[in-house]
Amino acid sequence: MRKSREETAQTRQRILAAAAAEFRRGGIDSTGVADVMAAAGLTQGGFYRHFESKDALVRESLGGSLNELRHSMEGAIKGRPGRAGVVAAIDDYLSLKHLDSPSPCPFACLGSELARESPEVREAATAGFKSLMELVASRLTGLSAATSRKEAAVILSSMVGAMTVARMVSDRTLATAILAQTRKSLSEQVRDK
Amino acid sequence: MRKSREETAQTRQRILAAAAAEFRRGGIDSTGVADVMAAAGLTQGGFYRHFESKDALVRESLGGSLNELRHSMEGAIKGRPGRAGVVAAIDDYLSLKHLDSPSPCPFACLGSELARESPEVREAATAGFKSLMELVASRLTGLSAATSRKEAAVILSSMVGAMTVARMVSDRTLATAILAQTRKSLSEQVRDK
DNA sequence: TGTACATCAGTGAACGCGCGTTCACTGATGTAC
DNA sequence: TGTACATCAGTGAACGCGCGTTCACTGATGTAC
């Protein structure tokens, strides 16, 4: 049953992709190694040929999620010049589509759980957040480097908060209102500062 | 071993208080019925004399947490007149003290987990959020009722997002910067709108 | 290039453990007369 | 008011179950000559 080196590498990537999606969907604690392996079309026994532990999987798949999120935000930002790029990223993130579809954002899906994860996992989350901060800050022209980073942190954490709360409430009207009003409020903030 | 009616009622309250604190500290999934009962100074066997299931405990203790949070915000708001009351509540919530101490806010502690809880639990969370919204909105003078509620929703979800992210990142400097800058940003928003 | 052997990806079953829940039991409290 | 009995809060052990992890085994791949 041994697989070629290429197949092995592909399997590893398949497990990582399945893990990233399953953890975001069901949470870290509630998603078992067997769930992830089944989602990747494998049985649980083979897991430890690819990863040292569940924690290592969480860490690495979180890194993958964060990279994808960064690329998706880069795409939205690069479509428009200057500060309008940030507005586009905000509108994209706080869209109804993002509310309903499997979310690409581990902060919104796992935020409060991540605070209780191992130091290694939290460091991966921190690096991901900082990476998004730099991306947004680079478009907040006319501010000092330090100030633009701080403003970017506020914008991003507000986005995460809005999506987290919108996902939490069972009142659909309230959820859409939170997203719409936060889009409006943050866009004004980006344009005016 | 039977206890008096009064003692029974006190025990129930003790379990609820322990549950609220333990769930916020360790998350809902990771905190077992036995953990809660031990924190209340009891053994797990007696749990079902007081509650129908863990889900019922989660629902009721979440309601308790939300009531306490509302009272604490009411206290901060009532200390100052008009919009300054909202600023005081923001400063209180986004303080370093709140970052470090056992948090009274279930949204910041459990936000992403709550989105995956039972409909009953999510409805309790929704009612709690709406209650805070009304409280904040009542102080956003000069706006229509609908607009003030929407603004309140943005302010609250931004507060939750800032605290969630600040708790998540392993970089202390970044955490304090997020809190400070969000305080500043929201305060300006409250004063100017 | 062909052959013999070592490696190891993946399977399926098992490990110990902790979970939510149930239950027999205890003895103090509450109730009925 | 006093007594006999029913109730039930709390204990401690057990239930089935799913968890993360380990392991014997398989057979195709990789390596050495």
Side-chain angles (χ1 to χ4, degrees):
Chain A
M1 289 224 186
R2 185 179 183 180
K3 297 298 169 70
S4 73
R5 277 198 263 269
E6 197 186 348
E7 276 176 305
T8 302
Q10 281 171 359
T11 299
R12 192 186 148 87
Q13 289 308 310
R14 200 148 36 88
I15 296 171
L16 276 173
E22 290 297 302
F23 286 143
R24 285 189 316 242
R25 193 175 59 80
I28 296 172
D29 254 53
S30 312
T31 301
V33 167
D35 295 327
V36 170
M37 291 300 275
L42 297 162
T43 56
Q44 62 183 311
F47 175 75
Y48 294 87
R49 294 274 171 206
H50 295 280
F51 300 95
E52 191 191 84
S53 64
K54 185 184 176 183
D55 194 76
L57 176 69
V58 169
R59 197 184 329 142
E60 199 167 339
S61 72
L62 177 64
S65 283
L66 289 165
N67 269 334
E68 274 183 48
L69 179 62
R70 157 132 194 161
H71 285 127
S72 131
M73 282 191 81
E74 258 174 3
I77 283 190
K78 283 185 177 161
R80 288 167 178 244
R83 292 187 170 213
V86 176
V87 173
I90 291 168
D91 286 347
D92 194 51
Y93 185 94
L94 294 177
S95 65
L96 281 179
K97 196 182 146 216
H98 183 182
L99 176 67
D100 292 322
S101 64
S103 172
C105 179
F107 299 126
C109 293
L110 308 171
S112 51
E113 261 187 286
L114 288 174
R116 290 183 283 267
E117 289 293 319
S118 69
E120 290 79 12
V121 170
R122 291 179 68 206
E123 265 154 41
T126 305
F129 188 80
K130 284 182 178 174
S131 165
L132 296 184
M133 256 174 64
E134 297 300 331
L135 178 64
V136 169
S138 71
R139 287 300 191 90
L140 295 178
T141 49
L143 299 174
S144 74
T147 304
S148 66
R149 268 199 285 270
K150 285 188 201 167
E151 289 291 340
V154 171
I155 292 165
L156 287 166
S157 69
S158 297
M159 287 162 67
V160 169
M163 187 53 74
T164 300
V165 174
R167 285 243 177 75
M168 185 193 70
V169 297
S170 51
D171 179 333
R172 180 81 182 172
T173 308
L174 178 55
T176 57
I178 290 169
L179 295 186
Q181 193 73 13
T182 304
R183 282 200 302 273
K184 196 176 160 221
S185 180
L186 289 180
S187 299
E188 283 169 18
Q189 216 171 306
V190 168
R191 277 194 287 261
D192 298 348
K193 284 249 164 130
Chain B
M1 290 220 187
R2 186 178 181 183
K3 297 298 169 72
S4 72
R5 278 199 262 268
E6 197 186 347
E7 276 177 307
T8 302
Q10 280 172 1
T11 300
R12 194 186 146 89
Q13 289 309 309
R14 201 146 39 88
I15 296 170
L16 277 171
E22 289 298 303
F23 285 143
R24 288 190 314 244
R25 193 175 59 82
I28 295 172
D29 253 53
S30 311
T31 301
V33 168
D35 295 328
V36 170
M37 290 300 275
L42 297 163
T43 57
Q44 62 183 311
F47 174 75
Y48 294 87
R49 295 274 171 203
H50 294 280
F51 299 94
E52 189 190 86
S53 63
K54 185 184 177 182
D55 194 75
L57 176 69
V58 170
R59 195 184 329 139
E60 199 165 343
S61 72
L62 177 63
S65 283
L66 290 165
N67 268 335
E68 273 184 50
L69 179 61
R70 156 128 196 167
H71 286 126
S72 130
M73 282 190 80
E74 258 174 2
I77 283 190
K78 284 186 175 161
R80 286 166 179 246
R83 294 188 166 211
V86 176
V87 173
I90 292 167
D91 286 347
D92 194 52
Y93 185 96
L94 295 177
S95 65
L96 281 178
K97 196 181 146 215
H98 183 182
L99 175 68
D100 292 323
S101 65
S103 171
C105 179
F107 300 125
C109 294
L110 308 170
S112 51
E113 262 187 282
L114 287 174
R116 291 183 283 267
E117 289 294 320
S118 70
E120 291 79 12
V121 170
R122 290 179 67 208
E123 265 154 42
T126 307
F129 189 80
K130 284 182 177 173
S131 164
L132 296 183
M133 256 174 64
E134 298 299 332
L135 179 65
V136 170
S138 71
R139 287 301 191 92
L140 295 177
T141 50
L143 299 173
S144 75
T147 305
S148 65
R149 268 198 285 270
K150 284 188 201 166
E151 289 291 340
V154 171
I155 292 165
L156 287 166
S157 69
S158 298
M159 286 160 68
V160 170
M163 187 52 74
T164 300
V165 175
R167 283 244 179 73
M168 185 194 69
V169 297
S170 51
D171 178 334
R172 180 82 184 170
T173 308
L174 177 56
T176 58
I178 290 169
L179 294 186
Q181 194 72 15
T182 305
R183 280 200 303 272
K184 195 176 163 220
S185 179
L186 289 180
S187 298
E188 283 169 17
Q189 216 170 305
V190 168
R191 277 194 286 261
D192 298 350
K193 284 247 166 133

